[in-house]
Amino acid sequence: MMYHHRFIIMALILAGLAGAREDAPSAVGFVAGIQGKGFIIRNRDTIMISGMDLLCQGDSVQLSKGAKARITICGSRGYEIRGKAGFTIRRSGISFNQGKTFKTYAVDRKACNVAIEVFRKNEKKLPEMVTGGRKGTLMLRSRKKSERRGVYVVRGRKQTPMIELYSDRLLPQKQLLMWTPVKGRASYHVVIKNGSDTIWSSTVLKNNCEYPDSAPRLEEGRDYDIVIEAVADQGKVLASGSGTFSLFTREEQESLKQDETSIRAMMPESAPEQHILLGKLYESHGQFADALSCYEKALSLDSANAGLKERITLLKTIME
C-alpha cells in the first residue's frame, strides 16, 4: 500500500519536469526509482539510468546484479524488479528475456498520462547520460540529439569538439551562462547580440559567466544570440561556438515555484526520489549547482545508485 501511494504521488508531481522529444518513440512510462546500476537501450544508444528516467515503447532495459528498480507503465501496472534482469518496454507492460517481477503495484493512469504529456513538451531541456564507444566513456547531451553534439567525459577528462551552451534557458534572477570548457590554458571571449546589435561582451577565465546587472536588461521570452571563443595566451582561437538563449517568463518561473512546493509537500525529506525530482527540476532550469546539491543528498540516502553517482561526476565536470 505504501508503494501504491508513493507512485501515485510521483506521477502527479512529475508535471513540470522533462520528457520525450516529438520525433522520439512513444513514451509509455518512467523509471520510478532505482538502486544499483541500470541501462536503457534506445536507438542504438545505451543510456545510464540516473533516477527518474522516461521509458519509451520498444526500449530495452538492463539491470545489473544486485539492482532494484521500480518501473511504472502508464497503460498497465507498476513493476518492482530485483536482481539481474533484461526486459523490453511495451504499452501493455514489460516483456522479460531475463529475470522476473518481484511484485506489482497499481498505477493511477490519468495522473501518469498527464506526467508523460508534460515530459513530451519539455524533454529537450534535460540532458541524458549516454555510454560512448570506449569503456569508461559517457556523453552528456540533450535528448534532442539533432541540436547538440554533446560533451564527452573520459574518466574526468573532457574532449570538446566545439563550444556549446549547457543551458539555453536562464532564470532572470540568476542569469548564469555555462559552456563546454576547452582543455589547457584559455580565456573565453563572450559576445551577446540582439539581432545585429551587440549588447554586451566580456572576456572571462572560466567556462561560465553571469550576465551583470550593469548590462542592458534582457527581456523575458526573447531569444538572444551568443558567440563564445576560447583564446590561448598567444591569441590563437582554440575553439568557438554560437547559439541562442532566452529568459524564463514570469509564468514559467511561477510554475517552477509551484513544482518545488508540490515535490517538498508530497514526498518526505527522507525519500531519495524527492531530491532526484528536485534536482531534475533545477537542472531543466539551468540551475546546475542546486541540482548537484539535490543529487548529492539523494545519493546520501541511496548510496547504491550508480547512475546517480555518474550524474554527479558529470555535473561536477561541467561546473569546473
Side-chain angles (χ1 to χ4, degrees):
M1 183 62 70
M2 180 182 69
Y3 279 119
H4 171 73
H5 290 301
R6 286 183 69 183
F7 291 118
I8 291 176
I9 289 171
M10 283 195 291
L12 284 166
I13 64 175
L14 275 168
L17 301 179
R21 57 179 189 176
E22 292 179 1
D23 58 342
S26 177
V28 296
F30 51 87
V31 180
I34 186 169
Q35 291 184 339
K37 185 175 289 188
F39 301 90
I40 302 167
I41 295 87
R42 178 185 304 155
N43 295 334
R44 289 183 286 186
D45 279 332
T46 301
I47 304 166
M48 179 173 282
I49 297 173
S50 61
M52 311 289 289
D53 291 89
L54 192 72
L55 293 171
C56 298
Q57 169 81 359
D59 281 354
S60 294
V61 179
Q62 299 289 332
L63 300 180
S64 300
K65 183 179 179 180
K68 298 178 182 179
R70 300 187 298 277
I71 307 296
T72 297
I73 306 298
C74 291
S76 176
R77 301 181 61 79
Y79 301 83
E80 184 174 342
I81 302 158
R82 299 186 179 185
K84 189 172 184 179
F87 49 90
T88 303
I89 303 299
R90 309 292 187 197
R91 289 188 181 277
S92 57
I94 59 179
S95 176
F96 283 93
N97 52 49
Q98 183 181 12
K100 61 182 180 179
T101 301
F102 177 74
K103 65 179 178 181
T104 64
Y105 52 88
V107 171
D108 185 314
R109 296 189 183 187
K110 183 177 180 180
C112 192
N113 287 327
V114 168
I116 293 295
E117 183 58 30
V118 175
F119 268 118
R120 285 196 182 95
K121 294 176 182 177
N122 300 300
E123 187 189 36
K124 67 179 182 179
K125 299 175 187 175
L126 282 181
E128 67 188 6
M129 298 184 302
V130 182
T131 62
R134 289 184 289 165
K135 185 177 181 180
T137 303
L138 293 172
M139 183 164 65
L140 183 70
R141 69 182 179 193
S142 167
R143 294 183 191 269
K144 197 164 186 178
K145 299 178 178 60
S146 61
E147 290 189 350
R148 303 178 68 153
R149 296 188 186 180
V151 182
Y152 288 88
V153 180
V154 185
R155 299 186 184 280
R157 293 184 287 108
K158 300 167 282 294
Q159 299 175 339
T160 53
M162 66 178 294
I163 294 176
E164 299 182 60
L165 285 175
Y166 282 127
S167 177
D168 59 0
R169 305 296 305 282
L170 307 177
L171 286 169
Q173 301 85 354
K174 191 176 183 180
Q175 299 170 34
L176 180 65
L177 293 154
M178 299 182 66
W179 54 86
T180 53
V182 172
K183 188 177 181 180
R185 290 178 57 86
S187 58
Y188 300 90
H189 184 57
V190 183
V191 179
I192 296 176
K193 294 185 175 184
N194 183 8
S196 60
D197 299 328
T198 297
I199 59 175
W200 182 76
S201 65
S202 183
T203 299
V204 297
L205 299 178
K206 292 186 176 182
N207 63 312
N208 64 78
C209 67
E210 191 162 353
Y211 189 77
D213 293 335
S214 58
R217 181 178 176 274
L218 301 181
E219 297 180 25
E220 297 173 11
R222 178 189 290 272
D223 288 336
Y224 293 93
D225 296 315
I226 182 170
V227 178
I228 305 169
E229 288 185 336
V231 183
D233 292 340
Q234 301 80 10
K236 179 183 178 181
V237 176
L238 303 175
S240 64
S242 61
T244 61
F245 70 91
S246 62
L247 304 185
F248 284 102
T249 65
R250 189 169 303 174
E251 291 77 13
E252 289 173 318
Q253 295 174 68
E254 187 60 36
S255 176
L256 169 62
K257 292 179 182 178
Q258 292 174 357
D259 289 336
E260 287 178 315
T261 301
S262 296
I263 291 171
R264 294 186 187 280
M266 293 184 179
M267 301 192 73
E269 182 78 13
S270 59
E273 290 88 352
Q274 185 205 85
H275 304 286
I276 291 172
L277 286 169
L278 285 170
K280 291 208 169 185
L281 180 65
Y282 296 145
E283 192 177 324
S284 71
H285 285 73
Q287 299 181 75
F288 294 110
D290 292 334
L292 178 60
S293 177
C294 288
Y295 294 148
E296 289 177 332
K297 178 63 176 178
L299 186 62
S300 72
L301 298 169
D302 181 12
S303 60
N305 192 328
L308 198 52
K309 293 177 183 177
E310 294 286 1
R311 196 167 201 85
I312 288 170
T313 298
L314 288 171
L315 282 179
K316 285 182 175 179
T317 298
I318 71 174
M319 292 174 64
E320 288 179 355

